[in-house]
Amino acid sequence: MSDHDGHEERPAEGLRRELPNEVPTPAPTEAEAEADAETGSDKAAGPTGRQRLANGLWPPRLTRAQLIVALLLFGLGFGLAVQVASNSDDDSALRGARQEDLVRILDELDDRTQRLEGEKQGLEKQRDELENSSDQAEEARKQTQEKERQLGILAGTVAAQGPGITVTVQDPKGKVEADMLLDAVQELRAAGAEAIQENGVRVVADTYLTEEGESVRVDGNKVNAPYRFQVIGKPQDLEPALNIPGGVVQTLEKEQATVTVERSSKIVVDALRAVERPDYARSSSQ
């Protein structure tokens, strides 16, 4: 280059640098070209849809909440299966029953429902009396005394009377055993018996029956046939409970025993048990 005066300019030192000589890249062989082409096509295409689905499903990624929900659903399904199986067994048993047996069972269910409804209404009445009484302390005292009498009847420390039935078991062959009489007591309790007396012995919650030779002992007291039960409760519930198919009456009759049931508007249960003081238990209010 030259300026206007004809002088030649030199480039500044350091502005021009020498570039290295270029090294030519060797041409790829035919095999390498084919391999690069195949690899490049796979990379460009990426994973297929099936591969992405498999990668998303396995391995499973479950959170703790999902695991808990899965366990709860499993438990619910198992419970429903057991309930369905139980209902199926009950249905099959009822299908084989006679019409009069089904009618008797329905009557027993209706009677029990009515009894429970009556107890519910009584409790609601007590609640209302406590809430509305002007002298709640006096009302509470009266109810406490009434509850004490009721518990005394159940414990056998207080005599009782009311409607019920008398059950007499004749055992001419001497084949009636203690467990058969215990079944009768349990069936009467389930039917709503409130007080039971057997051959002059008060039957309570902890009563036990044993055998001694050809005799039966009730709470250690020896009783002989005929066995006589005096039961206070609703006769319409007590008598059918003993006569259900395969129940107490049929079991005793298979042993050639004779069972008679008499309803009465007044049954007296006057055998008493001594009040026993517990060795360890004390009232929590003391």
Side-chain angles (χ1 to χ4, degrees), residues 115 119 150 152-156 160-163 188-189 191-196 202-204 230-234 238 269:
R115 185 170 66 253
E119 294 178 359
Q150 294 176 0
I153 293 175
L154 296 177
Q161 67 179 19
L188 291 169
R189 283 174 174 168
E194 297 176 352
I196 304 175
R202 190 69 169 266
V203 177
V204 293
Q230 294 169 279
V231 188
I232 295 178
K234 188 177 181 181
L238 299 175
V269 175

Side-chain angles (χ1 to χ4, degrees), residues 6-258:
H7 296 286
E8 181 177 352
E9 292 183 359
R10 294 184 180 181
E13 185 178 357
L15 293 181
R16 182 176 183 275
R17 295 182 179 177
E18 296 291 337
L19 295 176
N21 297 329
E22 296 182 359
V23 179
T25 302
T29 63
E30 182 179 355
E32 290 176 346
E34 292 179 356
D36 291 340
E38 293 179 359
T39 304
S41 62
D42 292 340
K43 290 180 181 179
T48 63
R50 183 178 299 177
Q51 291 173 342
R52 288 195 300 270
L53 179 60
N55 293 335
L57 295 177
W58 189 264
R61 300 175 180 86
L62 294 178
T63 64
R64 183 177 180 181
Q66 291 173 335
L67 181 60
I68 293 175
V69 171
L71 293 176
L72 291 176
L73 291 176
F74 174 78
L76 178 61
F78 181 77
L80 291 175
V82 172
Q83 184 176 3
V84 170
S86 177
N87 292 337
S88 299
D89 295 339
D90 295 340
D91 293 342
S92 60
L94 291 175
R95 291 193 192 98
R98 297 177 302 175
Q99 183 176 1
E100 54 269 23
D101 295 337
L102 294 175
V103 173
R104 186 181 298 111
I105 292 173
L106 290 175
D107 291 340
E108 291 179 9
L109 292 175
D110 291 339
D111 292 338
R112 292 183 182 181
T113 301
Q114 294 176 2
R115 185 170 66 253
L116 291 175
E117 185 64 27
E119 294 178 359
K120 175 187 174 184
Q121 294 177 358
L123 292 174
E124 290 177 347
K125 181 179 179 181
Q126 291 181 5
R127 181 198 62 192
D128 296 339
E129 289 175 351
L130 284 173
E131 292 177 349
N132 301 326
S133 177
S134 59
D135 188 357
Q136 293 187 359
E138 179 64 20
E139 186 65 30
R141 185 184 64 82
K142 292 180 181 179
Q143 291 192 14
T144 300
Q145 291 177 347
E146 179 63 24
K147 181 64 68 174
E148 182 180 359
R149 286 192 291 268
Q150 294 176 0
L151 293 176
I153 293 175
L154 296 177
T157 59
V158 177
Q161 67 179 19
I165 62 174
T166 299
V167 183
T168 304
V169 181
Q170 301 283 351
D171 184 25
K173 301 295 183 179
K175 293 185 178 181
V176 175
E177 300 177 351
D179 59 340
M180 300 177 186
L181 299 178
L182 180 60
D183 289 341
V185 171
Q186 300 286 26
E187 195 65 49
L188 291 169
R189 283 174 174 168
E194 297 176 352
I196 304 175
Q197 180 174 306
E198 180 182 355
N199 290 57
V201 180
R202 190 69 169 266
V203 177
V204 293
D206 59 351
T207 293
Y208 61 93
L209 283 77
T210 57
E211 295 180 12
E212 185 178 291
E214 296 182 355
S215 301
V216 175
R217 287 188 176 272
V218 181
D219 288 337
N221 300 288
K222 184 178 180 180
V223 296
N224 297 315
Y227 305 105
R228 189 164 179 260
F229 295 86
Q230 294 169 279
V231 188
I232 295 178
K234 188 177 181 181
Q236 294 84 348
D237 294 339
L238 299 175
E239 183 177 1
L242 299 176
N243 290 299
I244 61 175
V248 174
V249 173
Q250 287 190 2
T251 301
L252 292 172
E253 289 177 348
K254 288 181 181 179
E255 302 298 332
Q256 301 181 2
T258 303

